[in-house]
Amino acid sequence: MDRRRFIVALGGVTALSGCLEGGPPTAEGNPDDSPDSTEGAADGGASTPSRASTFDLPIPKDELHRGAPKDAIPAITAPVFSDDWSGFDEVNVTLEDSFEVVGVEIDGIARAYPLAILNWHEIVNDTFDGRPVVVTYCPLCGSAVTADRLVEGEPTYFGVSGYLWMSDLVMYDDRTESLWSQVLATAIRGEQTGETLSLIPSTISTWGEWKASHPETEVLVPPPVSGTIRGRQTRRYGVNPYSGYQQSGAIGIGFNDEVDERLHPKTSVIGVTSGGIARAYTLSTVNAAGVVNDEVGDLPVVVASSKDGTLVAYVRRVDGEVVEFERDGRDLKAAGSRWGLLTGRALDGPHEGTVLTRANDRSPMFWFAWADFNPETEIYGR
């Protein structure tokens, strides 16, 4: 098999998308899930980003660890959205303001994907006004990654392979059965090896804060209202199956031999990469500072957190000028305007309506996951 080296920047990967057309997969239609079926890497396609971690692709089979049978965690393929969860007889859980959600906004359409659902399903195959999008969450890494679900310009559906690599969710696409790393958003075995999905910024926030900053938002309704790859499935959405894990020092399901001990492995960090530098910002440090104006390599960034602990990072450049941000209550302030913390949008002043560029293209995640994929990372304030 052709072996190729893939260099990844967890704050700034941009590369070609790819995929093959086809309808949503069914449990009966899934091919054999052996890694052997993903042999035969294609040449191609990752761009050279600004940072840092290097992996030889395809990943050897013995680096993949079976965490569950294929599709035992049923990806959502027919999502249904509403203003909230009331009015659905099939849903016996109340959507609380304290529930964490993955928030995504594309071309004015805002949607929230509660972790109460993603903890059990991990992948949502969605469409934004005709644009195929996949929203993913790995409970073991605490990482949300959103991307265009396209390969070679055509839509595909993604499912949960049941494999883990570096304790992270490994997805498969329904047409080529290639295996994809969730954090890298890159195919690590199979026909699409080396192809990287185009990323879409997403935020992990609380439902209360997300809907306050996005009053027109929709929220994903749990199965069986939403359909899954295995049809009408349902889980105990009022129970967090990972609550003990999130508080412990355990990593994944025991396959990690080395741990970066500079922080507790489950510390939540937001990471930014640029100019050959990777830097992690912890919630506690950002809270203590109120707002962080920093430079990562050649990238000026501002990092802040909300009352509920939502971490955000933006490029602090307005109309081509680097500016200094301050806190203004729950908002940010710079260049004569107030800026919404969760949206990055100027709320008033001379820049009203302008939206800041995101400095991170993946959500905050657990420290161990960030450090695994960025082993030379710095920690802000240390």
Side-chain angles (χ1 to χ4, degrees):
M1 185 184 300
D2 177 34
R3 299 283 288 169
R4 288 171 294 112
R5 181 149 291 193
F6 178 78
I7 305 173
V8 61
L10 284 198
V13 171
T14 53
L16 297 178
S17 301
C19 225
L20 301 176
E21 64 183 358
T26 63
E28 291 78 10
N30 287 330
D32 174 65
D33 67 340
S34 166
D36 288 332
S37 66
T38 65
E39 297 287 347
D43 291 334
S47 63
T48 303
S50 57
R51 160 78 207 161
S53 301
T54 303
F55 303 98
D56 288 329
L57 299 182
I59 297 301
K61 285 192 296 183
D62 61 7
E63 291 188 19
L64 297 175
H65 301 283
R66 174 64 74 185
K70 184 180 181 182
D71 291 329
I73 299 170
I76 292 174
T77 54
V80 174
F81 295 88
S82 185
D83 294 336
D84 56 37
W85 291 353
S86 63
F88 294 93
D89 294 338
E90 303 95 328
V91 179
N92 57 10
V93 178
T94 300
L95 179 60
E96 305 286 352
D97 283 353
S98 60
F99 280 21
E100 288 187 297
V101 301
V102 176
V104 180
E105 183 178 6
I106 302 174
D107 296 332
I109 301 173
R111 288 178 180 162
Y113 304 80
L115 298 195
I117 301 174
L118 290 173
N119 278 331
W120 294 98
H121 296 279
E122 300 190 3
I123 296 174
V124 180
N125 294 275
D126 200 1
T127 303
F128 278 68
D129 195 21
R131 179 178 179 177
V133 170
V134 61
V135 179
T136 71
Y137 179 71
C138 177
L140 295 180
C141 291
S143 54
V145 178
T146 301
D148 287 315
R149 54 181 178 89
L150 299 172
V151 175
E152 297 175 351
E154 298 295 336
T156 191
Y157 283 78
F158 285 91
V160 180
S161 72
Y163 288 107
L164 297 171
W165 178 60
M166 297 178 69
S167 297
D168 181 43
L169 162 66
V170 175
M171 311 181 294
Y172 72 88
D173 71 78
D174 72 316
R175 293 301 297 272
T176 72
E177 293 293 305
S178 297
L179 299 180
W180 300 72
S181 161
Q182 183 248 6
V183 166
L184 297 187
T186 298
I188 56 175
R189 287 186 66 81
E191 182 179 323
Q192 297 297 321
T193 295
E195 293 295 319
T196 300
L197 302 175
S198 295
L199 296 176
I200 300 167
S202 57
T203 300
I204 295 182
S205 182
T206 62
W207 170 235
E209 285 194 334
W210 179 260
K211 69 180 178 181
S213 60
H214 300 79
E216 302 301 319
T217 189
E218 305 170 312
V219 63
L220 180 68
V221 181
V225 179
S226 292
T228 80
I229 197 170
R230 298 176 62 188
R232 290 176 59 86
Q233 297 280 306
T234 188
R235 299 292 187 269
R236 299 175 64 194
Y237 299 110
V239 175
N240 180 359
Y242 295 94
S243 59
Y245 171 79
Q246 291 168 350
Q247 303 302 318
S248 75
I251 293 177
I253 55 175
F255 295 118
N256 291 67
D257 296 324
E258 298 182 6
V259 179
D260 189 322
E261 297 181 347
R262 286 180 289 170
L263 295 172
H264 187 282
K266 303 301 174 49
T267 300
S268 180
V269 301
I270 191 168
V272 178
T273 67
S274 181
I277 302 296
R279 189 167 298 150
Y281 302 82
T282 67
L283 177 61
S284 60
T285 299
V286 175
N287 277 341
V291 62
V292 173
N293 292 280
D294 196 16
E295 291 190 6
V296 180
D298 55 359
L299 187 70
V301 301
V302 56
V303 185
S305 61
S306 72
K307 177 176 66 68
D308 286 355
T310 300
L311 278 166
V312 296
Y314 300 105
V315 178
R316 55 184 179 91
R317 191 178 285 123
V318 179
D319 288 345
E321 299 292 327
V322 176
V323 299
E324 294 280 321
F325 279 83
E326 302 174 351
R327 288 303 294 253
D328 185 8
R330 63 183 181 182
D331 301 318
L332 301 175
K333 183 178 180 180
S337 291
R338 290 184 306 115
W339 305 77
L341 190 142
L342 261 67
T343 63
R345 181 175 289 107
L347 304 174
D348 57 22
H351 305 289
E352 184 175 1
T354 300
V355 179
L356 298 171
T357 300
R358 293 284 289 269
N360 62 305
D361 50 20
R362 292 162 176 82
S363 78
M365 64 184 72
F366 292 143
W367 160 249
F368 85 83
W370 175 262
D372 276 354
F373 286 97
N374 291 274
E376 298 179 9
T377 185
E378 302 172 355
I379 303 173
Y380 178 80
R382 293 199 176 191

